[in-house]
Amino acid sequence: MKRTGIIINLMAFLSFVFSYAQEDYTKNLNGISKVYIETGTKVKITAGSSNVLKFNNIGHNKTNNERAEGLKAVYSGGADNTGFGFSMSQEGSVLRVKDLKSWMQRKDLQIELPKTIDIHIDCGNLGSVTFEGFSSEIEVNSTVGNITFNDVTGPITAHSETGTINVDFVNVNQSSPITVHSSTGSVDVSLPSNTKADLELRSTMGTVYTDFELKTDAPDGMKVVGANRKIESKLNGGGVNIVLRSSTGNVYLRKK
Amino acid sequence: MNCKDIEQDILDFIDGELATDKADKIKKHIGTCANCKAFYDETVALFGAFNKEEQQVPSESLREGFYKLLEEEKQLLNPKVVQFNKQEKAFPWKRAFQVAASIIFLFMGYFLGSHKTGKDANKQIIALQKETNELKEGMVLAMIENQSVSKRIQAVNYTEGFEKPDVKILEALIERMQYDGNMNVRLAAAEALSEFPESIMVKDAFIEALTTQKSPSLQIAIIQFLVKIQEKRAIAPMKQLLEHSDTPDFVKEQVNDGILQII
């Protein structure tokens, strides 16, 4: 009897926790073509099918403080207009989403966005980001966090000071240039073997590795000035500009 | 004198062409030797017969017959001769000249035409190039402040083909290198600008950027450019970089390397 009571209590507690954890936040994105996100934590952004912005499992982030009953949280970065510690504002067709909580309070943020919406994200000092399945333009800046792209098409502009950047292209959008750059981290990019591109690979103090057959046509007798070693090559007859570079890290270009 | 000698000299003796003493000896021998006498008589008789024989002259009718025959033969050959003449005519010099002249005219026309159109086409190509350059400049200026980072990079990349970019373009690029919010755009702009090392504006901008830019990648790109153009004025700000505590070690390495190369 005592045991069943414990079990029932445990189940009630679990369902309570679960219901909180399951809580999502959604915002309609009608008339919005680009989302600017500012956050300092680890973020996973996945492509969804509906035209909404959705924070998955945001429940446990909700302000849950008895003492704060009847009070409102205020933040230095702006006004919380979502109830989850985010400031959202719309400027024309751009939605700005600002995470007001510090990375200490916010863990594992999961965001779902339409597959075709343009995304710009600043990862702050310690934030890192993973993208899944986007066919839109993505811009990322991070300081120490890693940046990972899975099943994307570009255009991509990614920069990290010390983080590693991994990009796995499902195919390559030819409309505008792709730039992946890490100052001291590695750059690791996988391209489909039939990708048409004008490649520019550069690692100032590291090494460039690839399993593509690159035809580099450096003229004979060209003097290597400093450590400015640039590898330029056309893939499958040439196409969109793809620039992969690292100052002190290695550059890896893989064929799929 | 024997009979053999007589035989040899007998013809000269008959013709009287022998010396008198030799002729006397032969006369004497013939008087004594019956054989030689007989040989002498025979020879005299033979020559006498030769002299007596009248020369045969062919008759007039033979000559006439021969010419007649010749004429007939000529008549027979005549058509063939005409045919030969025709064959010689088969190489028609006049026509050959006409054909050659027409071919020459054709080629002359072709070369003249192609030369002229080539000139025109060149002019058109130059005009088009100018137009596309202008168009590109316009595009650069229109796109360089685009909201999309990738588009801004594309705009910066468009300047690659310019030989002598407009001051406006250079100003726009310098602004991107100094103040763009995105690191990658700043870097792309720095790279695009390093294609124009002759411009004093660009040199000044790089020297200024060396003191203001904090990103290590950009610092390296700037240092590499200034080292490449051997800019002496860059040494002072480069030494300043060495003294800064927040300059990463690998940038300092590049600075040291660069200073050595400039001097």
Side-chain angles (χ1 to χ4, degrees), chain A residues 34 94 137 139 155 157-159 161 175-177 179 181 183-184 200 202 204-205 228 241 245 247-248, chain B residues 147-151 153-154 157 181-184 187 191 215-217 220 224 227-228 250 253-254 257 261:
Chain A
K34 187 164 187 172
V94 176
E137 187 184 334
E139 302 156 13
T157 311
H159 169 69
E161 288 298 337
S175 68
S176 60
T179 314
H181 171 219
S183 293
T184 62
E200 186 186 319
R202 188 188 292 199
T204 312
M205 293 156 99
N228 191 6
N241 259 42
R245 63 153 95 210
S247 296
T248 64
Chain B
Q147 200 188 53
S148 149
V149 172
S150 182
K151 287 276 185 294
I153 291 174
Q154 198 166 28
N157 288 348
N182 192 291
M183 173 57 221
N184 287 338
L187 204 55
E191 242 167 52
S215 163
S217 301
I220 289 175
Q224 280 176 350
V227 169
K228 194 174 154 197
F250 63 95
E253 233 172 86
Q254 292 278 323
D257 207 35
Q261 285 189 46

Side-chain angles (χ1 to χ4, degrees), chain B residues 6-256:
Chain B
I6 299 297
E7 233 170 83
Q8 265 184 9
D9 293 332
I10 196 84
L11 283 176
D12 290 329
F13 174 72
I14 292 166
D15 287 344
E17 280 171 7
L18 277 180
T20 43
D21 55 328
K22 213 175 181 182
D24 285 344
K25 278 179 187 173
I26 291 169
K27 222 176 183 176
K28 228 190 245 172
H29 181 81
I30 288 168
T32 54
C33 178
N35 265 348
C36 288
K37 169 85 179 127
F39 179 68
Y40 170 76
D41 287 341
E42 266 174 37
T43 310
V44 170
L46 183 66
F47 276 89
F50 276 150
N51 287 336
K52 263 185 228 161
E53 196 63 36
E54 233 180 90
Q55 214 180 333
Q56 287 278 334
V57 178
S59 65
E60 268 313 294
S61 66
L62 188 67
R63 183 184 288 267
E64 271 171 29
F66 171 74
Y67 280 117
K68 209 179 158 190
L69 213 73
L70 192 65
E71 270 314 299
E72 272 174 16
E73 206 63 24
K74 267 187 180 172
Q75 289 282 324
L76 222 88
L77 285 172
N78 238 7
K80 274 187 187 167
V81 171
V82 170
Q83 266 184 353
F84 272 126
N85 277 351
K86 259 193 180 171
Q87 270 187 354
E88 248 171 71
K89 261 191 181 177
F91 195 82
W93 286 105
K94 201 176 162 191
R95 184 156 295 173
F97 273 123
Q98 282 171 350
V99 171
S102 60
I103 288 168
I104 287 165
F105 273 123
L106 195 75
F107 273 96
M108 266 166 68
Y110 172 74
F111 283 121
L112 209 75
S114 66
H115 181 63
K116 197 162 176 278
T117 50
K119 256 185 169 173
D120 286 353
N122 272 351
K123 265 188 208 163
Q124 277 178 351
I125 287 167
I126 289 164
L128 268 174
Q129 272 174 346
K130 207 179 157 200
E131 226 169 86
T132 46
N133 268 1
E134 276 168 14
L135 208 71
K136 267 188 176 176
E137 284 190 1
M139 268 165 85
V140 169
L141 292 176
M143 273 170 69
I144 207 152
E145 291 188 21
N146 195 297
Q147 200 188 53
S148 149
V149 172
S150 182
K151 287 276 185 294
R152 290 207 294 275
I153 291 174
Q154 198 166 28
V156 169
N157 288 348
Y158 272 140
T159 61
E160 260 177 21
F162 295 170
E163 275 178 24
K164 270 203 169 164
D166 201 71
V167 177
K168 262 193 253 170
I169 299 282
L170 288 180
E171 276 173 351
L173 283 177
I174 289 167
E175 199 190 321
R176 284 304 114 195
M177 175 176 79
Q178 289 278 42
Y179 309 116
D180 197 282
N182 192 291
M183 173 57 221
N184 287 338
V185 178
R186 293 207 297 274
L187 204 55
E191 242 167 52
L193 280 172
S194 57
E195 297 291 316
F196 314 115
E198 304 87 19
S199 165
I200 294 162
M201 222 167 102
V202 172
K203 284 183 198 174
D204 291 349
F206 269 94
I207 291 169
E208 198 197 328
L210 193 56
T211 56
T212 54
Q213 293 300 326
K214 295 281 171 257
S215 163
S217 301
L218 195 55
Q219 284 173 334
I220 289 175
I222 292 164
I223 291 165
Q224 280 176 350
F225 172 76
L226 290 171
V227 169
K228 194 174 154 197
I229 62 164
Q230 295 285 308
E231 181 60 63
K232 300 271 188 291
R233 286 182 295 162
I235 292 173
M238 274 162 80
K239 281 183 174 159
Q240 270 179 18
L241 268 183
L242 286 176
E243 283 157 20
H244 271 292
S245 58
D246 54 353
T247 309
D249 284 346
F250 63 95
V251 175
K252 285 183 180 172
E253 233 172 86
Q254 292 278 323
V255 172
N256 279 325

